[in-house]
């Protein structure tokens, strides 16, 4: 497979908000869109998106994973960005229509079809820095992807950053491009200076999230992760992993985790850490870098519980086990 997210299906679903109403969704070419150079999104970042996947089961059927949760989060992002409102059922139908059209292109396991709904403000008005866009565009891209672990699940190296945040606290719940852009500088610097894969943002010692994923610590039969608040992204994969952890009998603690406690627990031989997200599902963390010193998490390798949780989620997604929480929507 090509690099993750670089190949697209030739068509996408698209709808526009104009004159205070939505147009009908249509299937159009995905090679370009038309925007005025003064479009609101280009100047004032009125944009949000989602990331979810469709999976092919052994019987050939195609199923979308937790579409309702991703749509709910996008509705929330749109509201927080003052983008035009849309009905969840409207986007759901757009997603189903385009996935159904390219159902034959959904890769078999361990691949999947990555789905990227995108919402942008399109009004040509460069004088609206403090006003919402009056027109917008909603589209759904598809990208067939392979196994994120194709090159091997090498445990990640994370730099703990206590002096900065991934994004502005009031924007944490919004899945918007600006949040990723604001984290890019620190991530690039961390890769150059300490060979880190990602930055784990821990403002004032409060362990939060990395530039593109939620953080999870596993110590024995306890799974620890930051409690939900408005400062960081409420990951759908995070929620799925926590649910499966409870199903497996683990104690799930959603609470504040300090850098001091993280490093103390990480030093235990059986401790595990991981990042959760749509692309990588659950990626093991082997090293934490703090104030110039490297700290090995457990034995530095992918932990047994991390791999068990990842497999449990994959088994549901690819139809190899039951779907007790009704997370799959058949196309």
């Amino acid at each position: 497979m090509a690099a993750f997210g670089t190949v697209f299906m030739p068509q996408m679903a698209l709808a526009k908000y104009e004159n205070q109403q939505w147009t009908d969704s249509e299937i159009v070419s995905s090679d370009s869109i038309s925007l005025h150079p003064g479009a609101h999104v280009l100047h004032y970042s009125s944009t949000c998106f989602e990331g979810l996947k469709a999976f092919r089961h052994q019987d050939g059927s195609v199923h979308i994973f937790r579409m309702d949760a991703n749509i709910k989060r996008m509705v929330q992002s749109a509201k927080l960005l003052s983008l035009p409102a849309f009905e969840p059922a409207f986007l759901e139908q757009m997603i189903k229509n385009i996935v159904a059209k390219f159902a034959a292109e959904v890769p078999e396991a361990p691949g999947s079809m990555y789905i990227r709904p995108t919402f942008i403000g399109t009004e040509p008005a460069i004088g609206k820095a403090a006003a919402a866009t009056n027109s917008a565009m909603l589209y759904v891209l598809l990208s067939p992807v392979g196994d994120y672990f194709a090159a091997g699940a090498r445990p990640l190296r994370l730099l703990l950053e206590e002096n900065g945040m991934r994004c502005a606290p009031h924007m944490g719940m919004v899945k918007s491009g600006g949040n990723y852009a604001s984290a890019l500088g620190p991530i690039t610097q961390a890769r150059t200076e300490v060979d880190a894969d990602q930055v784990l943002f821990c403002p004032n010692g409060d362990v939060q999230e990395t530039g593109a994923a939620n953080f999870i610590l596993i110590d024995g039969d306890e799974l620890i992760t930051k409690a939900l608040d408005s400062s960081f992204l409420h990951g759908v994969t995070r929620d799925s992993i926590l649910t499966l952890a409870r199903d497996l009998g683990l104690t799930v603690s959603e609470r504040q985790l300090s850098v001091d406690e993280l490093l103390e627990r990480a030093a235990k031989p059986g401790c595990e850490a991981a990042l959760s997200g749509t692309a990588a599902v659950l990626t093991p963390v082997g090293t934490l870098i703090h104030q110039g010193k490297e700290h090995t998490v457990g034995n530095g390798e992918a932990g047994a519980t991390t791999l068990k949780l990842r497999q449990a989620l994959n088994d549901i997604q690819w139809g190899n086990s039951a779907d007790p929480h009704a997370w799959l929507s058949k196309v």
Side-chain angles (χ1 to χ4, degrees):
M1 298 290 291
F4 192 97
T6 61
V7 174
F8 299 94
M9 291 295 96
Q11 292 178 302
M12 63 181 179
L14 183 145
K16 295 180 179 180
Y17 182 83
E18 299 172 334
N19 302 317
Q20 306 302 308
Q21 61 183 358
W22 282 98
T23 66
D24 292 335
S25 170
E26 56 182 336
I27 305 297
V28 301
S29 173
S30 61
D31 64 351
S32 65
I33 56 174
S34 177
L35 281 179
H36 189 281
H40 198 275
V41 63
L42 300 178
H43 300 266
Y44 307 119
S45 297
S46 50
T47 172
C48 58
F49 62 91
E50 276 300 322
L52 61 159
K53 288 178 176 176
F55 299 85
R56 180 176 302 284
H57 289 189
Q58 290 185 358
D59 63 2
S61 61
V62 172
H63 302 255
I64 303 172
F65 182 73
R66 300 206 67 178
M67 176 169 54
D68 58 337
N70 282 274
I71 292 175
K72 181 179 179 180
R73 188 170 64 181
M74 193 166 194
V75 168
Q76 173 184 269
S77 292
K79 182 177 181 180
L80 293 173
L81 288 169
S82 298
L83 281 162
F86 62 86
E87 291 296 326
F90 183 63
L91 178 54
E92 178 180 336
Q93 195 59 54
M94 288 179 67
I95 294 172
K96 286 183 174 179
N97 287 348
I98 196 65
V99 172
K101 182 174 180 62
F102 291 102
E105 304 298 326
V106 176
E108 296 183 355
S112 59
M113 184 69 80
Y114 191 87
I115 306 167
R116 174 53 64 92
T118 306
F119 195 14
I120 61 175
T122 57
E123 183 183 0
I126 59 173
K128 300 191 74 171
T133 181
N134 282 326
S135 62
M137 181 185 298
L138 178 63
Y139 58 89
V140 183
L141 285 168
L142 299 183
S143 176
V145 296
D147 184 2
Y148 207 74
F149 286 81
R154 177 182 63 83
L156 301 178
R157 293 166 52 83
L158 303 185
L159 174 66
L160 307 188
E161 173 55 71
E162 297 185 70
N163 297 317
M165 298 186 68
R166 172 177 178 259
C167 62
H170 69 283
M171 287 290 288
M173 291 194 301
V174 182
K175 195 169 178 67
S176 179
N179 291 352
Y180 293 82
S182 67
L184 187 56
I187 294 170
T188 301
Q189 183 177 355
R191 287 173 177 164
T192 301
E193 296 182 355
V194 296
D195 192 31
D197 296 290
Q198 263 287 355
V199 172
L200 178 56
F201 293 95
C202 311
N204 301 313
D206 178 30
V207 178
Q208 294 192 339
E209 61 184 337
T210 67
N214 293 130
F215 179 78
I216 290 173
L217 184 69
I218 302 171
D219 185 3
D221 63 357
E222 183 182 16
L223 186 155
I224 306 169
T225 191
K226 182 175 173 61
L228 295 179
D229 62 29
S230 62
S231 70
F232 74 107
L233 192 65
H234 300 180
V236 175
T237 303
R238 171 193 178 278
D239 180 72
S240 304
I241 292 295
L242 298 193
T243 300
L244 293 176
R246 294 186 182 98
D247 290 347
L248 294 174
L250 296 177
T251 298
V252 174
S253 300
E254 295 184 74
R255 61 172 175 81
Q256 186 171 16
L257 175 65
S258 69
V259 168
D260 289 342
E261 181 183 358
L262 169 59
L263 295 178
E264 180 182 344
R265 287 180 179 267
K268 298 180 181 179
C271 191
E272 306 174 34
L275 300 183
S276 67
T278 300
V281 185
L282 200 59
T283 307
V285 173
T287 305
L288 301 173
I289 306 166
H290 181 245
Q291 296 181 353
K293 182 180 179 181
E294 296 194 4
H295 302 260
T296 300
V297 180
N299 63 6
E301 301 298 326
T305 302
T306 296
L307 296 177
K308 187 175 183 180
L309 286 168
R310 180 176 185 269
Q311 190 62 53
L313 184 56
N314 281 161
D315 283 345
I316 292 173
Q317 292 171 330
W318 283 308
N320 296 325
S321 67
D323 177 22
H325 302 287
W327 285 339
L328 297 174
S329 302
K330 187 174 181 180
V331 176

